[in-house]
Amino acid sequence: MDQNLLQMNQVRSEDELAVVNISSTEIGALSKEAAERILQNKDTDDIHLLMYVPIEKKADLIWLIESVGQALEDEDEDNVALEFADLLYFFVIPFYKEYILREHHLYECIDDLLVRLASRTHSDIHTLVDAMRDDLTE
C-alpha cells in the first residue's frame, strides 16, 4: 500500500496539492463567487466559511491568500482582521505550511499579511501572529 501511495504522489502534477481541504464536488464546498461575496461583505459571522473554498491546486491557495490580503487592505475593523487571522492560523497555516515554506511567493504573501495584522492594536491578533510566525520558523 505504501508503494501505491508513493507512486500516486510521483504521478501528481506539480500544480496539484497533496492536502485538499474539500473537493469542489463535495456538498458544502463554497464557490469562489460565494467566497468573493464574503470577502467583500467582511461579515464576521461568515469569514470562517472561507475554509470551505476548495483548494485543490496551488493556484487556489494563492488565490485565497491574495484575496484575504486584498480584503485586509482597506479594513479598519479589528474584529474583521481577527477573523482573517483566525482563518490563517486555524486553516491556512496548518494545512498548507509545507507549500508556504517551499513557495517563495506564498511565503512573501503570508509574511505581508502577518506584518499588516501585527500593526493592529487587538491583543488576540498579536497572539495569533506570534504563533503563526513560530509555526513558520519551526
Side-chain angles (χ1 to χ4, degrees):
M1 179 128 130
D2 291 329
Q3 283 292 62
N4 291 339
L5 184 59
L6 180 61
Q7 288 173 344
M8 284 173 46
N9 284 335
Q10 289 172 345
V11 171
R12 179 174 298 143
S13 81
E14 190 172 308
D15 192 45
E16 291 180 50
L17 300 177
V19 176
V20 175
N21 63 321
I22 186 170
S23 168
S24 57
T25 60
E26 286 183 52
I27 294 174
L30 192 67
S31 70
K32 280 190 179 177
E33 293 78 18
E36 287 170 349
R37 282 191 299 277
I38 290 169
L39 288 163
Q40 280 183 323
N41 296 338
K42 300 176 190 169
D43 185 339
T44 56
D45 291 334
D46 293 334
I47 292 172
H48 73 280
L49 296 174
L50 294 172
M51 72 174 140
Y52 297 108
V53 173
I55 299 180
E56 299 168 313
K57 300 177 280 188
K58 287 179 189 176
D60 299 330
L61 181 58
I62 291 168
W63 175 85
L64 179 62
I65 292 170
E66 289 178 347
S67 296
V68 168
Q70 290 170 356
L72 265 176
E73 280 181 14
D74 61 349
E75 184 52 53
D76 297 330
E77 294 291 322
D78 277 350
N79 289 339
V80 172
L82 178 60
E83 289 299 319
F84 284 131
D86 279 347
L87 177 73
L88 295 173
Y89 179 73
F90 290 107
F91 174 64
V92 174
I93 302 293
F95 272 81
Y96 303 105
K97 174 182 171 180
E98 173 187 333
Y99 297 102
I100 293 166
L101 293 174
R102 274 192 296 171
E103 298 288 327
H104 185 70
H105 174 71
L106 283 175
Y107 184 81
E108 284 182 342
C109 288
I110 289 290
D111 189 54
D112 177 60
L113 287 174
L114 295 181
V115 166
R116 289 193 283 157
L117 287 167
S119 71
R120 303 292 180 141
T121 58
H122 200 291
S123 64
D124 290 342
I125 294 174
H126 289 207
T127 301
L128 289 172
V129 167
D130 291 343
M132 286 185 274
R133 287 193 189 282
D134 289 345
D135 286 349
L136 292 171
T137 57
E138 289 179 345

